[in-house]
Each structure stands twice: as structure tokens, then as C-alpha cells.
Amino acid sequence: MHDDIPLTVGRATRVLTERIRPAIHSGAVPLEVGWHALPGESIPPADGLALDFEPYAVGTPWGPAWNTTWFRLRGQVPAEWAGKRAEILVDLGFDINMPGFQCEALVYRADGRPVKSINPRNQWIPVSATEIDLYLEAAANPVLLDYHPFLPTQEGDVQTSSKRPLYTTRRMDLVLFDEQVHELSLDIDVLLELQSVLPATAPRRMRILQALDDALDALDLQDISGTARDARARLEEVLAAPAEHSAHHVSAIGHAHIDSAWLWPVRETIRKVARTAAGMTELMEIDPDFRYGMSSAQQYAWLKEHRPEVWERVVTAVKDGRFIPLGGMWVESDTVMPTGEALVRQFTYGQRFFREEFGVESQGVWLPDSFGYSPALPQLIRRAGFEWFFTQKISWNQVNKFPHHTFLWEGIDGSRVFTHFPPMDTYNSQLSGAELAKATNQFRESRVASHSLAPVGWGDGGGGTTREMTGRAARLRNLEGSATVAWEHPNDFFATARAEMPHPPVWVGELYLELHRATLTSQHRTKQGNRRSEHLLIEAELWAATAAVHAGQPYPYDEIDRLWQQVLLHQFHDILPGTSIAWVHREAVAAYERIYSDTAALIESAQRALVGAGSSVITLNPAPFARGGVPALGAGAAATPAPTSTFSGNVISNGIVSVTISDEGLITSAIDLATGREALAGEANLLQLHQDFPNMWDAWDVDRFYRNRVTDLRAVESLVRTDNAVTIVRAFSKSRVTQTLTLAPGSRVLRIDQETDWHETEKFLKIKFPFDVRAEQVAAETQFGYQKRVTHTNTSWEAAKFEASMHRFVLVEEPGFGAALVTDSTYGYDVTRDSTEDGVTTTVRLSLLRAPRFPDPETDQGRQTCSYGLVIGASVKEATEAGLDLNLPPRVVTGEHGFDPLVSLTGEGLLISSVKLADDRSGDVIVRLYESLGRRATGSLHLHLPVTSAHTATLLERPEGNPLPITGDGISLHLTPFEVRTIRLTR
Ligand SMILES: [Zn+2]
């Protein structure tokens, strides 16, 4: 027969778009609208409802950037609409080409109860009474991405944003809703999408096209409402045809990825969460099958504190099993940069909140969007009691396609966690035909499995799942030619996936994201704040626990909880990575300043209780190894320093190492005196300035070509030598850098304290250390250990890692000799191999500062400080200790006496990472330790406090197994490589 497929597709598409969808609503009656634009920041809803409202004409521009406008909608449902379904449609001036990232609103009843959110693709409000009296809290969030992606903008901070109105309302009407037309639109939508992904001449496609033609023939375009039912009848048969036996199955979970801060400040996220949660609990009223998952205990805590009316609805829905707390973390944090203890706290604070508020704990870790995943995570995930891990971000890789969707992920210690990446490659699924076909066709485990997961809904102010999406899901439950779809708890998906894949493939090591590599460097002050705050809090817990046990001082549980939660919030995957607007980073820096001073107060209070009043000089040592004769985690008089190192000409030596610093301020020689071994292969401490203008994602990305253009900063403005230090000042471009290089007595670390007055644009500052070391791999510290990365670029996978992460150290080592770099506030480095006539050398460069202009046009401008060090002659042990030494400096105070540590540890490679009192406030002492060298270790934990029993515990501090035997030598320990062990001591 003659056939014209495009004719049918074109017909259905046009009629759906131009006639059917517009016919879903009819009979518009404009509402009486009042408005009140707030002059400053937003106010609580109760105050908003009590405002005076001026008459407002729809079409009047509203909303300068970041402004809140309250609208009041009043009206009456016409008597002739009795028995029909009325709705309200509100268009605040949306651009429906963007699902979120713009203005949005939360609708309240006059009694303060929230109704639902209003978003670009979710503009309806249900009408439940004939008298309309509703209030809209509308936020004029500016569009910062999409219209002009990645161009510098001043709109990203209320202090610099424009004052002109950004939006113009288009309608605020009472309308009739025609359910049959709505259902017809979804029928046609699903079938049109499905036929578009079927093989060109597949019989199933032909039947669908014929059914569409038949349905359109049945439709009177002058009377859509009156003929929709007839049209739907013509589609019944094709919609009832069941899926194939081998059809892929998509486990859908309603979702809205809400970044805890990003192109909006934290205060706006609080409202985004409230709007979305209100909308999703409303959607549950419409579709009984619908399930919604929300991560981040912090976001729930915000609801509880700021929007109790929404919180109540969420609590009920969680109890009904329909609103699902996901992830068990405080926020969806970055996982590459937080220290081990901080990642543990993401889990302990997240799960504690879910347990205390809802009586549930998450079974899996949900991190769809963080920028790469640390190889320490599998162990932490398992030891925190989780069963599964979920992300999709690795699908953003620039070069290499990840080989699995469902697999076991193995970490540095050998722990494995069952992991799934959705083959749809998105956390914002709409359940489109294209997405379902992508899931079916991309799924890498199809030989043995048929289930994948799909988070469904618009995030970041898109309002989450829409009724169109639930309508699609209902039609896709069991439909020939399509993947099948069901709303399911992610735990149920993972149980099924695990059952159908008893022998999953294994991926070992980090999940490196081949994109967003500059997130290790952008917004230096935020990164410095994180590193310092983590170490200060670990120290505060140590001294507070010691003071509680030794001196009976009350342990500041509430204050420590509050401070950790602040630090954890700022580890969110757009704050710590430095990819938020100026407003967010301005507030982050201020928050860190408060954390420093509040933590310092805790430390000082504990110290006073521990050392007493007196005038003796006492050194407290928060590091997990003895320093200057002061025991680890204890305090006493430090040993008298050895003779001071001094300069002779350009050479400074302290009897351990000898360093030559040229008149250019470059390190030209660094010798380990015990072996006579030269560590360097060329000039070190060379600052290098690169042009750095990535193709997109300015704060996120550094593109490979940045290396091709570089300026060595050799010019010296001044160079001053003192006893054991040299201070070098360099001016370049519009900036100035001051470095002080110090060699302390008894140390093998040449310390460099740097202050930069940074006024560059689109530049990347690195500092270069060429080592005369033939390192096959570098060892870069990660949480509770280190990871090795090869130094060559044999394959595309290795070549893609041209910028990589470190914590406190990066080490290059060949058998017999190594050298390391340690840092106190940076996280990025790159490594290259060079071949000379003398052999292969290894160059490591630390990443110090960047100057991207989007989303914060002033990123990193002004005064920046950091400290780092060159460790001359180092293995992992020396590198680890040098890193800890830099980040946990001793404290010198005056008092009456020193004190013993609560516990001490013997055993090569074993280190204590935390001493604290238990979160359950029982008074038990928690000691966490780990094996740091990557080998098996035997040792003892010696107890210097009265203990009645001891247990191994989970990371959530729950005792496991039988009590540990305590002998005169303490608790004996046997740890596997990189094992993290938590021990709970009952006093
Ligand atoms: Zn995100």
C-alpha cells in the first residue's frame, strides 16, 4: 500500500501541539491580583500573608534579581462550572525552554498551608473551593546559565545585581481543566515518542502510526473536548499491547536534583526545597503509584526549621513510604576533597537525622552529580552500613566511555560496593521515548540483566516530577516496543539488580571524572576554609574528649554538631569545588571565619581545663605521632630545638638536608645528607603562569591545551635571606607574590609560605618541582590512605587524568628514594615524565590559583595565602607525617602541667584519625584509626583512661561483635592495608 510516515508524524505533532494541548484548559477567567514587592530579603510566609497588597495588572514587569514578590489571587469559580474541574494557571514570565533556573513560586492558602510550587513547566494550581484566596511567594531568581552560557555576569550576587525587573507575568487565570483532553495528549505524546525510536519499518511502528491517524480522524478540531474520548478509543489497542519478554525495565523514582547552593545562595535553596517538596506531596495525591526520593539530611533540616507546614506533609509521606529519604549523607558532597573524618561525618550526621526524624536509615549512597568519586569511598560506604552506591556523573567523561552500568566498585582497601549508573545518563529524566530507548540500547549489562534506574523530574527549581511524567509512566508500565516503567523504591531496584547479577564486573580505584578538573583549584579561600575547618574540628574533638575524661569538663556536643554541619554543608558539590556564584563563596568565606573562631574557643576552653593555670610553656600535639618529644595527642614540654639551620652563601643546611636557593629564588639543589642523594632534576619552586580559557564551564574546567602557553615567573623584585629563611618577592602582570622559604631545625621539609596578591584574568598559577626520580607512579593522599596513579599516558584513560587530586601529600618514589610535596590548602597537581641522557625524571606541579570569570566574575581576586613544603627524602610514612605536621601544627600555651593522651598507638603505619565522645552522648570514647602505608599492620592501642569494655564499631559508632580483649598492653590490633577501624571504649 502507499505509505507516508512523515505525513502521519507531522500531522500528529501539529495537532498535539497546536490544538490538543491548548484545549486542555478553556474558559479563562482573570483573577483579581494584588502584589507586594519586598524591598530587601525574603520574609517568613506568615509575614508574607499579612502584607498589604496593591492592585496588580497582569503584564506588569516584576522582580529585580533576587527579589521576592508576594502576589494575592482572589476570585470566584463561576456557578456554571459546577461539577467541572477548575484550575488556576499562573505564568510568571517563564521561559518554558528551560525547566528551572529562573523565577518560581510557592502557593499558599490564606491559612498559611502550602499548596504546591509554580515552575516553568508546572504552572497549574488545584482549586478546592469556589472562593479563591491564594498567595504566591514568587522569587525572581535571575537566569545565569543558558541564555549566554559562561559569560561573566554581575547578577550572581545581590550586592552587584541589576535593579531592573526581570520578568513579566503573562496570565493568572481561573480555567476549566478537561481531563479527557489531558489524557489524550499524553496518549499521543507517548505513542509519538515511541514510534520515533522504533526501527523505520517495524510492524509495531506501523500499527502505532495507523492508530494515530485513526485517532486524529476521529477528532473534530473544532470540538476537541467533545471528541477526545472517541479519539482515545482508537488508541486503546496499541496502548494495551504488552511489552516483549526481554524488554528492559526502568525503575523510576521521582526526583529533583536540588543543588544546595550554586547559581543561587543557600537561602534560596531552602525555598527551592520547600517549593519542590510541596509540589511532590501534592502530586502524590493525584497518583497513588508515585514515589519520590530526596537526598541530603540538610535539606530536610531546612524544611523542618524554615517551612514547618511543608515539613509536616513530608513527614507523613515518609511514614507512608512514598517520600523516600535518600543517600544517608548530610549533603550530596564532593567526595574527592573532604578529609576522611569529614566524609565519615557526612554519613553519621545524615543517617542520624533520618533515624531520629523518620526512624529510617538509607541503604545506599546517592551522589548523582558530584565531580568524581574517591577510591576511599567503597570502604567508608560499607563500614557506614550502606549496601549500594548510585551516580551518573561519569557519563559526562570527555573521552572514555565507562564500561559498566551495574558493577562492583572496589576501593583502595579492597572493599567492594554494588554500584549502578543509569544508562539514561541523566538525573533529570522525563521518561521520554528517546530516554527509554537510550536506557535499553546503552545498558552494558544486557546479556545478563534487564533493570536500570531513572531519577525522574526537573531539579534546581524545576519543581521535580510533573503530572505529565506520571501520566507517561502509567502508559509505559507494560507497552510493546518500549522499556517498561514502574515507580519503585531505589532499594527495591538494587535488590532486583543484585539478584539478576550475582557476578557483576569489578572496577578498581577512583571514579575519575574526565571533566571539571579545575574544581580542585577554583575559589581557593573556600578550599582553604574547608581544609582548616576540618582539621580544627578534629582537633577540637580531641581536646574536648580529653578534657571530658581527664578533667570532667562537659563535652560540647551541640556546638560540635553545629560546627560540623556547617563544614559539611560547605562540602556540597558546587561549594567546595568552587563552582557557585560570588554570593555563595562570599558567604562561605564568612562562615569559615566564624567556624575558625568558634572552634578556637572550644579548643581554648578544653586546653585551659587540661593544662591548668600556670606559666610553664606547654606544647599540645594534636598530630597522631610524637613531635619534639611531646607524645601524640598529648601535651608536655617540647624538647629544646636542635642547632638552627643557617645559610652559607646560597646554601642552607640543617644537618639532615641541604638546599640551594639561587639569586632568582629558585631551588637548584635539594640533597638528603644521609645518602648524599640529590632530589631535583632542575630548577624547582618555579612559578608558572598559564593562559586558562576553557571551552566552557569556566570555574569547572581546565582544558588540556592550557599547557601550551606558559610564562615562567623568574623576575625577582627582592630576595632577603635571614637566619634560616629566605623571602622572595616577585611582581608579574598585575599581581605580586611573596614566598618565604624556611628550613626548620631537624626537619627534612623545606616549607614555603606564600602570599599572593592575585589580579589575573583567566590564568592558572602552578608551581613546578622537577624531581630526579624515576617514578612509575605517584602516590597521592586520599581519605585514610593514598592512591597510586601512573605517570605515563599510554592509554586514553591515563592521558585524560592530566590534572589530579591530592590531599595533604603527593609522593614520587623509586626504589630507595622518594620526594614529596605537602600542602595545607590546595588539592590539585599534575605530573609529567621527562627523559634525559641521565634517565627518566618526574615533574610534579602543584595547582595554586585560577581566575575564571564564570559564574563568579571576580573569582580568587585579591590576597590569597597558602603553605606547602618540599619533603627531601621521603617514603609514604615521611610524606604522610609531613602532611599531617603542616595541617595539624602544635599549639604552644602556658599552663601548669602537660597531660597524657587518652590513647596511644604502636604499630608501623597505624595512625589515629579521630578521638571523640560518641554521638549518642553516652560518654563512650570513639577512637578511629587506619593503616596508612598500604600494607598489613600489627600493633596495640594503649588506653590511658579507665575502660570497662571495648568494641570494634561501625563508622556510625555501633558496636560490632564480641568485646575486644584488653590486656596490660591494651587492645591488640591487626589491620589489612588501608583498613579504617573504629573502636568504641566504654568508661
Ligand atoms: Zn548538582
Side-chain angles (χ1 to χ4, degrees), residues 15 114 136 203 249 266 498 503 507 578 772:
V15 172
L136 268 63
H249 178 77
V266 165
R498 195 185 284 269
H503 304 294
W507 178 268
D772 191 11

Side-chain angles (χ1 to χ4, degrees), residues 772-854:
D772 191 11
V773 175
R774 184 175 181 274
E776 295 302 317
Q777 301 167 319
V778 300
E781 192 185 30
T782 182
Q783 296 92 359
F784 301 115
Y786 60 87
Q787 60 178 321
K788 288 190 167 174
R789 295 190 182 97
V790 298
T791 56
H792 61 71
T793 52
N794 285 0
T795 73
S796 58
W797 291 86
E798 287 127 11
K801 296 181 185 175
F802 59 83
E803 178 79 9
S805 66
M806 59 182 285
H807 280 200
R808 293 165 297 211
F809 75 80
V810 58
L811 168 74
V812 295
E813 197 177 13
E814 64 182 35
F817 186 78
L821 296 171
V822 292
T823 82
D824 81 335
S825 53
T826 67
Y827 293 92
Y829 75 90
D830 71 273
V831 62
T832 45
R833 290 160 71 93
D834 292 296
S835 185
T836 69
E837 288 189 356
D838 296 331
V840 171
T841 63
T842 311
T843 297
V844 181
R845 300 190 308 159
L846 299 177
S847 308
L848 299 181
L849 287 169
R850 292 186 75 232
R853 301 195 64 213
F854 181 88

Side-chain angles (χ1 to χ4, degrees), residues 257-262 264 332 368-371 393 427 460 572-574:
H257 181 74
I258 303 181
D259 290 293
S260 288
W262 180 29
W264 48 86
E332 288 185 15
D369 194 33
S370 303
F371 309 149
K393 198 66 181 183
Y427 48 76
D460 284 340
F572 174 71
H573 66 256
D574 282 308

Side-chain angles (χ1 to χ4, degrees), residues 249-311:
H249 178 77
V250 169
S251 173
I253 179 69
H255 196 53
H257 181 74
I258 303 181
D259 290 293
S260 288
W262 180 29
L263 301 175
W264 48 86
V266 165
R267 73 95 157 126
E268 192 56 31
T269 315
I270 296 170
R271 303 200 299 176
K272 282 180 191 285
V273 172
R275 291 179 202 118
T276 304
M280 294 302 88
T281 46
E282 167 68 22
L283 188 58
M284 283 170 194
E285 302 287 319
I286 299 172
D287 188 329
D289 293 331
F290 178 57
R291 299 279 179 283
Y292 181 76
M294 184 169 108
S295 73
S296 305
Q298 170 72 84
Q299 298 194 350
Y300 289 84
W302 281 331
L303 281 183
K304 187 180 179 189
E305 182 182 350
H306 298 283
R307 291 294 187 277
E309 314 81 11
V310 182
W311 167 249

Side-chain angles (χ1 to χ4, degrees), residues 113-131:
R113 282 183 298 152
V115 182
K116 69 182 280 291
S117 61
I118 295 289
N119 307 93
R121 299 189 190 176
N122 194 341
Q123 302 182 9
W124 63 281
I125 307 170
V127 169
S128 55
T130 50
E131 289 289 332

Side-chain angles (χ1 to χ4, degrees), residues 305-609:
E305 182 182 350
H306 298 283
R307 291 294 187 277
E309 314 81 11
V310 182
W311 167 249
E312 264 174 45
R313 280 162 55 165
V314 168
V315 169
T316 304
V318 171
K319 289 205 172 109
D320 293 345
R322 304 187 57 196
F323 198 111
I324 299 161
L326 286 175
M329 295 176 77
W330 188 250
V331 296
E332 288 185 15
S333 79
D334 182 81
T335 71
V336 175
M337 292 177 275
T339 198
E341 285 300 325
L343 276 190
V344 171
R345 307 319 157 92
Q346 289 287 355
F347 297 137
T348 58
Y349 283 100
Q351 290 287 54
R352 195 209 296 186
F353 187 91
F354 289 164
R355 188 170 62 243
E356 288 178 355
E357 300 295 339
F358 306 124
V360 299
E361 286 184 353
S362 302
Q363 287 181 22
V365 171
W366 180 272
L367 288 172
D369 194 33
S370 303
F371 309 149
Y373 302 91
S374 151
L377 262 186
Q379 175 176 208
L380 303 183
I381 289 171
R382 297 307 307 277
R383 289 192 188 279
F386 295 100
E387 297 291 325
W388 53 261
F389 176 66
F390 173 86
T391 183
Q392 66 80 45
K393 198 66 181 183
I394 304 304
S395 71
W396 287 42
N397 271 1
Q398 268 174 326
V399 180
N400 296 290
K401 206 162 175 60
F402 199 79
H404 317 299
H405 287 105
T406 304
F407 61 103
L408 292 175
W409 178 27
E410 180 178 312
I412 54 172
D413 72 312
S415 294
R416 291 177 175 185
V417 60
F418 194 88
T419 298
H420 179 69
F421 296 175
M424 265 184 207
D425 291 347
T426 181
Y427 48 76
N428 293 320
S429 171
Q430 312 167 55
L431 294 176
S432 71
E435 287 171 339
L436 292 164
K438 189 172 183 182
T440 302
N441 298 330
Q442 280 215 135
F443 186 50
R444 300 293 287 256
E445 279 68 44
S446 276
R447 279 189 177 220
V448 292
S450 55
H451 287 71
S452 69
L453 184 59
V456 178
W458 300 122
D460 284 340
T465 317
T466 63
R467 64 182 176 186
E468 288 74 19
M469 295 173 194
T470 57
R472 282 187 200 129
R475 286 159 179 79
L476 294 163
R477 212 171 287 154
N478 186 16
L479 184 64
E480 185 190 352
S482 171
T484 59
V485 175
W487 298 108
E488 284 171 349
H489 193 306
N491 287 346
D492 296 334
F493 160 75
F494 274 93
T496 306
R498 195 185 284 269
E500 69 179 0
M501 284 188 66
H503 304 294
V506 179
W507 178 268
V508 178
E510 69 182 318
L511 295 171
Y512 179 94
L513 178 62
E514 296 172 358
L515 199 72
H516 296 357
R517 300 166 180 90
T519 57
L520 300 169
T521 307
S522 297
Q523 297 286 2
H524 176 70
R525 274 180 286 251
T526 300
K527 290 176 168 64
Q528 185 169 54
N530 176 66
R531 179 77 72 81
R532 275 192 195 162
S533 299
E534 289 172 330
H535 286 80
L536 283 170
L537 264 169
I538 291 165
E539 188 184 352
E541 287 179 329
L542 165 69
W543 300 137
T546 309
V549 175
H550 280 344
Q553 173 156 303
Y555 189 79
Y557 290 106
D558 291 338
E559 185 70 350
I560 285 174
D561 287 352
R562 184 183 69 80
L563 291 166
W564 263 124
Q565 287 168 7
Q566 281 285 304
V567 172
L568 299 180
L569 166 61
H570 289 94
Q571 290 176 342
F572 174 71
H573 66 256
D574 282 308
I575 305 180
L576 180 52
T579 49
S580 282
I581 52 173
W583 191 346
V584 173
H585 289 287
R586 172 167 61 78
E587 293 192 335
V589 170
Y592 285 126
E593 291 294 334
R594 290 193 299 273
I595 292 166
Y596 299 159
S597 61
D598 292 351
T599 314
L602 292 182
I603 291 173
E604 202 186 314
S605 162
Q607 281 170 358
R608 274 201 306 273

